[in-house]
Amino acid sequence: MRHSIKHALAVSLVLALLSACGGGGGGGTSGGSSSQSSQANQSSQPGQSGSSSSSGSQGEDSPVAIPTSSLDAARLLSQATFGADEASIDDIAANGPASWITRQFAIAPSSHRAYVDNIKSQLASGATLQQKDFLESFWTQAAAGQDQLRQRVALALSEIFVVSFQSSVSVRSIASYYDVLGRNAFGNFRTLLQDVTLHPAMGQYLTYLRNQKENGAGRVPDENYAREVMQLFTIGLYQLNPDGSPVLRDGKPIETYTNSDVSGLAKVFTGWSWGGPDNSDNRWVGNSLAQDPDRDVIPMQAYPKYHSVSEKRFLSATIPQMSGTPSVADVNSDLNVALDALFNHPNAGPFFARQLIQRLVTSNPSPAYISRVATAFANNGQGVRGDMKAVIRAVLLDPEARDATTAQGPGYGKLREPIVRLGNWLRAFHATPPSGRYQVGSTDSTLGQTPMNSSSVFNFFRPGYVPSNTQVASLGLVAPEMQISNESTVAIYINSMQTYVQGYVGPSLDRAAPDYSKELALADQPGALVDRLNLLLTAGNMKTSTRSRIIAAISDINLRTNTATNNATDRRNRVLLAVLLTMASTDYIVQK
């Protein structure tokens, strides 16, 4: 590459490293300088003409102006999908965010299990599904699927109700589990909680599949799921006010549950194992003589013989001691009592609201924002609790999500997680492999993150993570995605994007080739080219100073006219560099 390109990449890398190391602060939680984020608000004036010079009409740290309707459309798509493209921006700008959300609700879910089952049907005898097969389905839906809101919410849910490939869970079971998240994304939280609880992927991952009752000789029920379903999935560690703030006693937070609650709840999750046509001991164990071919995708079922009959006390619930051997109905009744207690707990709404806002919109939502979403969780306006559609509308249509001025305030925004960044690029430029199959594979070594491959049930990053020795910490903010951001992962990301933007995504004979035709048409108008990328990729978050630097870098590539081949090469290099520098900038990496 030319020296000027290398120099520009080095400058961009330094900026990104400063961001990842916490050199920035309140504006965006993840590294943009606080002075940048707190100054001039987003203009609602029409976009710039696209001259090759930097904008001189705005302050150095102001976002570049974009028409408000297009800006809001692009911002909504950055929050609610795997990325914007020109058509989707135009659609939302013309019809409004509420209409788009309603239409997204109406799109039938795509099935990852069906996708991997189709791959399995084509495998040679004795061959098994691999992680890459689910990832192919994931990226195909992320890059080309129409049910974008569902798939984006499913990703958010997968980072709350965590199951990971880093366990003994099968590929088919992971695909089926992801379908459960997608299917329930627009359903009811109570149904989501039950389907997650009974899925064999979760039963295996959190070790309560084949969980046995206490025997009086030292054996006690496995407490893994009982603890995590409270701590991570539903109510959290401390009692919350409706706005998500902790309830205090003598100035200290009050614990939501005790070890006794964990022990009592663990008894509920005894007597559950593989699904099938009977509940024999062989099926309970998983003996080869009694294995349903779909046992890794159908819900677990009750085995009364192994279910605890002792009294179960947890939270506000008490299940009396049973006499004799319980029935299947008894085991299911215990489960319903437990899940109802979690679902109806006053923490459930604000606890879930905060995490969904964090995953989609901003890392540090205001108490008022959390309260409004929690209110929608408690009552959708028709007396229904846990209506996911109402919750999603509340998250995405809230004034704090939609107001561009609020978005430029200190403390607002979130770091785009790496897999979402790749999705942004794939969708913005309609990158399509000849076969239509997105065989991306594991992205741990290229992005520092692979879908459904968290190293623990605590997800890739925790919702309360605070990067030490940063302005984020000094301001009392959190930056979850920063937990997987460091000098190494930032450098890996930029190096990988340098390859990806050239179309090197997937196997050599089936790469996802981007369509840069509209960008190439603007290669001789650097300002217009960068303004287009500002809308498609940064949703109007690009500062005038960033715009000026990118324009200067791509303008340094002379457009030779001695041959058509040379001219085409130079035009393409301008586009590739403009895309890369945009996606390496903190203005892009921090979603506003």
Side-chain angles (χ1 to χ4, degrees):
M1 298 182 72
R2 295 166 182 254
H3 174 75
S4 59
I5 298 178
K6 289 184 178 180
H7 176 71
L9 285 171
V11 171
S12 178
L13 176 56
V14 169
L15 289 173
L17 284 173
L18 286 173
S19 171
C21 293
T29 76
S30 310
S33 136
S34 59
S35 62
Q36 290 181 348
S37 61
S38 62
Q39 291 186 23
N41 295 323
Q42 171 66 46
S43 169
S44 60
Q45 299 303 310
Q48 298 185 5
S49 63
S51 72
S52 60
S53 61
S54 63
S55 170
S57 61
Q58 301 187 38
E60 177 67 11
D61 293 320
S62 301
V64 178
I66 289 174
T68 299
S69 58
S70 296
L71 168 66
D72 192 39
R75 288 188 63 243
L76 175 64
L77 290 163
S78 72
Q79 296 162 346
T81 75
F82 279 92
D85 64 7
E86 188 173 25
S88 58
I89 290 172
D90 290 345
D91 175 15
I92 296 174
N95 299 298
S99 170
W100 179 82
I101 290 172
T102 298
R103 284 179 284 130
Q104 282 287 307
F105 285 158
I107 300 175
S110 48
S111 173
H112 296 280
R113 174 190 162 187
Y115 195 101
V116 300
D117 279 351
N118 181 58
I119 292 177
K120 183 175 175 60
S121 70
Q122 301 174 47
L123 295 177
S125 177
T128 59
L129 289 167
Q130 299 179 45
Q131 179 182 359
K132 67 179 180 62
D133 298 319
F134 166 76
L135 295 175
E136 179 182 317
S137 179
F138 176 91
W139 285 112
T140 298
Q141 298 307 328
Q146 297 303 304
D147 58 336
Q148 275 294 289
L149 178 58
R150 187 187 299 272
Q151 293 301 323
R152 186 66 185 83
V153 172
L155 176 65
L157 295 176
S158 77
E159 296 178 346
I160 299 172
F161 301 92
V162 175
V163 164
S164 175
F165 276 112
Q166 296 191 29
S167 65
S168 59
V169 181
S170 72
V171 172
R172 192 166 183 251
S173 195
I174 292 271
S176 168
Y177 181 77
Y178 206 88
D179 282 348
V180 162
L181 301 180
R183 182 174 68 246
N184 287 288
F186 300 158
N188 190 280
F189 187 88
R190 175 62 176 79
T191 306
L192 168 65
L193 182 58
Q194 178 149 334
D195 288 354
V196 162
T197 299
L198 292 181
H199 199 284
M202 184 62 78
Q204 286 181 283
Y205 185 62
L206 288 184
T207 63
Y208 61 102
L209 185 145
R210 296 196 303 264
N211 188 15
Q212 296 190 50
K213 63 185 177 182
E214 66 278 12
N215 65 359
R219 184 181 68 206
V220 295
D222 186 301
E223 297 181 348
N224 207 10
Y225 188 68
R227 181 176 294 102
E228 307 307 356
V229 73
M230 290 192 289
Q231 178 181 348
L232 301 178
F233 300 170
T234 56
I235 62 176
L237 291 172
Y238 301 107
Q239 293 182 28
L240 301 174
N241 292 306
D243 65 2
S245 61
V247 176
L248 302 178
R249 179 186 296 151
D250 298 327
K252 297 180 181 180
I254 304 169
E255 291 185 350
T256 309
Y257 58 88
T258 65
N259 287 334
S260 294
D261 292 313
V262 174
S263 299
L265 187 57
K267 296 176 183 178
V268 172
F269 301 118
T270 56
W272 293 95
S273 190
W274 301 110
D278 59 59
N279 53 13
S280 65
D281 286 351
N282 279 335
R283 194 170 303 282
W284 161 270
V285 173
N287 189 299
S288 60
L289 299 175
Q291 285 187 8
D292 190 284
D294 284 332
R295 73 172 192 167
D296 55 349
V297 299
I298 60 177
M300 294 187 295
Q301 65 186 20
Y303 290 76
K305 174 180 177 180
Y306 299 98
H307 185 68
S308 174
V309 298
S310 63
E311 182 183 71
K312 306 170 183 69
R313 289 180 178 267
F314 48 88
L315 302 176
S316 60
T318 299
I319 300 174
Q321 181 174 342
M322 302 179 197
S323 58
T325 302
S327 65
V328 169
D330 291 330
V331 183
N332 280 290
S333 176
D334 284 3
L335 179 68
N336 286 328
V337 170
L339 298 186
D340 283 346
L342 294 169
F343 175 61
N344 291 306
H345 193 284
N347 267 31
F351 182 77
F352 180 66
R354 178 174 182 262
Q355 290 198 76
L356 193 59
I357 294 169
Q358 284 186 313
R359 298 279 51 77
L360 301 179
V361 179
T362 181
S363 295
N364 295 277
S366 73
Y369 187 3
I370 294 173
S371 181
R372 289 189 290 269
V373 177
T375 297
F377 182 98
N379 187 337
N380 68 350
Q382 299 177 334
V384 176
R385 181 177 176 83
D387 180 354
M388 291 291 289
K389 289 181 180 178
V391 172
I392 292 167
R393 282 193 180 98
V395 169
L396 295 176
L397 297 179
D398 191 87
E400 289 191 33
R402 298 274 52 83
D403 185 66
T405 299
T406 300
Q408 295 306 318
Y412 190 93
K414 66 188 294 292
L415 202 70
R416 294 179 204 262
E417 53 190 292
I419 54 178
V420 172
R421 299 177 209 167
L422 179 56
N424 291 170
W425 177 80
L426 290 168
R427 292 190 70 83
F429 306 109
H430 302 136
T432 308
S435 69
R437 299 171 56 184
Y438 288 77
Q439 301 177 72
V440 178
S442 172
T443 47
D444 280 347
S445 63
T446 55
L447 297 176
Q449 183 188 26
T450 296
M452 300 299 286
N453 200 45
S454 168
S455 61
S456 80
V457 71
F458 294 102
N459 188 28
F460 303 101
F461 33 77
R462 303 190 67 167
Y465 178 74
V466 179
S468 59
N469 302 316
T470 65
Q471 195 170 2
V472 172
S474 67
L475 293 172
L477 303 175
V478 301
E481 294 86 353
M482 284 291 291
Q483 195 166 358
I484 57 171
S485 298
N486 53 51
E487 290 89 342
S488 176
T489 59
V490 169
I492 287 171
Y493 162 70
I494 294 178
N495 287 335
S496 299
M497 287 310 305
Q498 184 177 358
T499 300
Y500 287 158
V501 299
Q502 298 178 66
Y504 298 125
V505 179
S508 58
L509 298 180
D510 196 27
R511 287 173 172 158
D515 178 4
Y516 287 135
S517 55
K518 292 189 176 181
E519 289 70 35
L520 288 168
L522 298 174
D524 57 354
Q525 304 172 59
L529 172 58
V530 176
D531 288 345
R532 177 175 172 81
L533 299 181
N534 181 25
L535 180 61
L536 285 175
L537 295 173
T538 72
N541 191 44
M542 186 180 290
K543 307 296 189 298
T544 53
S545 56
T546 305
R547 180 177 184 268
S548 297
R549 293 187 186 107
I550 297 176
I551 289 172
I554 62 178
S555 298
D556 195 40
I557 300 175
N558 294 322
L559 298 180
R560 292 170 292 174
T561 57
N562 57 329
T563 69
T565 298
N566 284 342
N567 185 258
T569 297
D570 295 338
R571 295 178 77 89
R572 181 172 176 79
N573 282 339
R574 279 192 172 189
V575 169
L576 295 178
L577 181 58
V579 173
L580 176 60
L581 292 181
T582 299
M583 296 191 73
S585 71
T586 56
D587 296 349
Y588 168 74
I589 291 174
V590 177
Q591 173 189 306
K592 285 286 196 174

